[in-house]
Amino acid sequence: MPLVRAILRHAGERPHSPAFRTEGRVLTFGELAAAAGRILHAIEQAALQTREQSVLAGRVRLIALETGNHPLFAAAFIAATSGGNCAALIDPHLPDSSRQRMKEKLRPEIVIRADGDHLCLDVPSVGQTLALETFDGSSAIRIGDDAEPFLVVFTSGTTGDPKAIIRDRRSWRLSLETGQEFFGIGPETATYAPGPLAHGLALYALVECLAAGAEFVGARHFEPRQALDVIGGAGTKRLVLVPTMLRRLCEQAKGAALTSVEKITVAGAKLTPADRSAAARAFPAADAIEYYGASELGFITVAGADDNHSPTAVGKPFPGVRLTILDDRGNNLPPGETGTIFVESALISEGYIASGDGDGFRREGRLATVGDLGFLDGDGTLHLIGRAGGMVLSGGNNIYPSEIEAALLAAPGIQAAVAFGLDDPDLGSELVAILQTNRDRFNRQALDRHLTAALPRYKHPRKVWLCQEMPMTASGKVAAGRLRQWIAEENGALERLF
């Protein structure tokens, strides 16, 4: 069912039922529909002043949402994805320079930003900013066509700037219909998902809840003690989060059990056996389900309590998804042999808005891939061996080492830089870096300031070593394998910076 139709139905049948809760502020379904209508009216009025069309010119109006986890996010999202509109989600916690480049690429007609507890609308083409309260009136939210683009999300690129992925309505409608039955989501499934709503995991959980008529509980910032209070106080039945957040909740629970939680959905990294044991103690009534997916491909696999939980296993295909493993020549590989993971499903995105960076999403007929490597075992379980482009998955965040290396090399006094992930029982992988510096020009404080300006905090290396001279391979590349070995054996060729 289209999201707008579901919202209007819930607003008509259950107007006083809670729909969206964050930071103690609750919007019922009736209030949510009304707020979405007011925001849509403001969008339409502000758009009359625009003098340039977006990158989607001729298809839909493009609205950039740069609000973060604002109490009005859900209403703004419904308005920005109403028929004839497409929402582009931009994380306000990214560096200013990154966000500016994202907007320059998209050229949105309207940008909606947070202004404290309020919202404001920018019209970039005329350099005007208007407060939402400036507009008096409401418009009817509309159902869009299946083939109409409605959502642009960003995923990390292998050469720095995030890549813009565009989705049509049909793929998400099919995903929601399948997922509602598979995950058992109904009006009673109040869900806590504290992650950033500009990213796929929490955003999808929000839309799942609104479509099913369930309450969504979010947070502007994740703090474990506060989170446990919210979960217990709201009678939350489902958690949707990354493993790092689940670990923090279990640690904070300190032996106490929250029996209201019946379902836990985890993505972004694998749960360890210790994670599952801790979750069983803190949330004894909950079934934990993990899924592996990609913004470009949608759901790929799922794994429940009784499935294979070996270090590489990521589950069996999501309903309606077919997997195949191909070699470099496009030949099918038998079970047990590693190659590139290809997906065939109706959940695949349209791809990137602008040209990519040469890696990531590509199609081969009906199949699509993001370049991840893996194999299928005899019972159809997918094993993930390597992430596309050497991507590091740390605390549920996708990080490409080449982006980090480029940022480090731009810092004063850095001659060479290598970044990669080391296994970490908490984060999945820990981002580290090794630097070769010009000691006369290198300054630790200057490096810290540079990284703060260039990268979001989660992309900062957690450990850094200095190397007087990088080891090289015969082909003239930095010998990253030898550097890893030096770290493991605490070789004196490396000096720990922090």
Side-chain angles (χ1 to χ4, degrees):
M1 177 186 297
L3 178 60
V4 166
R5 182 175 295 160
I7 295 295
L8 293 175
R9 189 187 75 182
H10 301 320
E13 296 176 355
R14 305 163 50 236
H16 304 298
S17 296
F20 184 77
R21 180 194 304 264
T22 186
E23 305 299 322
R25 183 172 176 180
V26 182
L27 288 181
T28 65
F29 277 100
E31 292 168 337
L32 179 62
R38 290 193 298 272
I39 295 173
L40 177 58
H41 176 74
I43 290 172
E44 293 172 341
Q45 293 301 303
L48 295 175
Q49 304 178 44
T50 190
R51 294 178 183 172
E52 294 180 3
Q53 290 186 314
S54 76
V55 71
L56 301 179
R59 303 181 71 185
V60 288
R61 180 191 296 126
L62 185 59
I63 315 300
L65 292 185
E66 200 175 353
T67 66
N69 289 18
H70 192 276
L72 288 174
F73 176 89
F77 180 80
I78 293 167
T81 57
S82 176
N85 291 339
C86 177
L89 302 183
I90 297 177
D91 188 344
H93 297 102
L94 291 171
D96 290 345
S97 57
S98 296
R99 287 183 280 123
Q100 185 59 36
R101 288 194 297 271
M102 293 159 83
K103 286 180 280 191
E104 288 172 355
K105 177 184 292 186
L106 298 180
R107 305 191 309 276
E109 281 90 351
I110 302 295
V111 178
I112 301 179
R113 295 185 294 105
D115 183 13
D117 289 335
H118 304 283
L119 296 178
C120 61
L121 287 75
D122 293 340
V123 186
S125 60
V126 296
Q128 189 171 24
T129 297
L130 301 164
L132 178 62
E133 290 74 18
T134 303
F135 302 93
D136 184 18
S138 180
S139 295
I141 53 177
R142 299 178 297 275
I143 297 171
D145 296 333
D146 272 358
E148 189 177 66
F150 90 108
L151 180 64
V152 175
V153 294
F154 286 87
T155 188
S156 296
T158 57
T159 58
D161 282 347
K163 295 180 287 189
I165 302 164
I166 186 166
R167 281 199 166 273
D168 62 25
R169 298 181 189 277
R170 179 177 179 274
S171 64
W172 263 47
R173 287 171 180 170
L174 288 172
S175 181
L176 289 168
E177 290 172 7
T178 305
Q180 187 169 337
E181 180 178 354
F182 181 83
F183 292 113
I185 302 169
E188 74 289 344
T189 316
T191 296
Y192 175 71
L197 289 167
H199 298 269
L201 183 62
L203 174 70
Y204 192 82
L206 167 65
V207 178
E208 282 181 316
C209 290
L210 297 181
E215 179 182 7
F216 176 89
V217 183
R220 286 195 173 182
H221 305 284
F222 175 71
E223 195 286 311
R225 177 66 265 168
Q226 182 184 53
L228 288 177
D229 291 340
V230 169
I231 292 167
T236 301
K237 292 192 174 183
R238 183 175 69 134
L239 309 179
V240 178
L241 27 67
V242 297
T244 303
M245 291 178 175
L246 180 60
R247 293 179 195 124
R248 299 290 184 266
L249 290 177
C250 293
E251 291 167 1
Q252 188 64 50
K254 298 176 181 176
L258 279 79
T259 56
S260 67
V261 177
E262 299 174 355
K263 305 173 190 290
I264 301 174
T265 300
V266 174
K270 277 185 62 63
L271 292 176
T272 66
D275 293 334
R276 285 187 169 271
S277 297
R281 291 191 296 271
F283 307 101
D287 292 326
I289 294 180
E290 302 174 70
Y291 75 78
Y292 156 62
S295 298
E296 297 93 330
L297 304 175
F299 291 113
I300 299 175
T301 61
V302 290
D306 298 327
D307 289 307
N308 182 348
H309 296 296
S310 69
T312 59
V314 291
K316 294 182 178 179
F318 188 75
V321 173
R322 184 177 74 87
L323 301 178
T324 189
I325 309 297
L326 302 181
D327 64 16
D328 292 342
R329 297 181 179 180
N331 300 313
N332 284 295
L333 292 174
E337 291 197 21
T338 297
T340 302
I341 301 166
F342 279 83
V343 175
E344 180 182 348
S345 86
L347 311 181
I348 297 171
S349 71
E350 293 185 28
Y352 304 127
I353 283 183
S355 59
D357 51 19
D359 292 303
F361 179 81
R362 73 178 192 275
R363 287 184 177 272
E364 298 286 346
R366 296 172 61 88
L367 301 173
T369 184
V370 291
D372 285 350
L373 303 176
F375 66 88
L376 292 167
D377 65 20
D379 71 355
T381 296
L382 179 67
H383 292 253
L384 183 64
I385 301 301
R387 288 278 180 166
M391 185 181 74
V392 175
L393 190 59
S394 181
N397 295 303
N398 297 344
I399 306 172
Y400 284 95
S402 55
E403 177 188 4
I404 311 307
E405 291 165 0
L408 289 167
L409 287 170
I414 305 296
Q415 294 179 328
V418 177
F420 48 82
L422 295 178
D423 289 343
D424 183 271
D426 185 27
L427 298 171
S429 288
E430 183 181 47
L431 181 69
V432 304
I434 299 175
L435 307 177
Q436 182 176 325
T437 68
N438 180 333
R439 292 183 179 269
D440 293 334
R441 296 181 56 223
F442 176 74
N443 178 277
R444 164 68 190 281
Q445 287 71 36
L447 175 64
D448 290 342
R449 291 193 297 271
H450 173 79
L451 289 176
T452 297
L455 297 169
R457 186 65 193 173
Y458 72 86
K459 291 186 178 181
H460 292 198
R462 297 174 67 88
K463 294 177 182 175
V464 172
W465 287 265
L466 300 179
C467 181
Q468 186 171 351
E469 186 173 353
M470 293 284 193
M472 309 298 286
T473 66
S475 62
K477 297 180 180 179
V478 174
R482 195 180 309 170
L483 290 173
R484 287 177 180 268
Q485 182 179 349
W486 286 357
I487 290 175
E489 64 189 20
E490 298 182 353
N491 192 296
L494 299 181
E495 175 188 348
R496 181 74 177 269
L497 180 64
F498 61 84

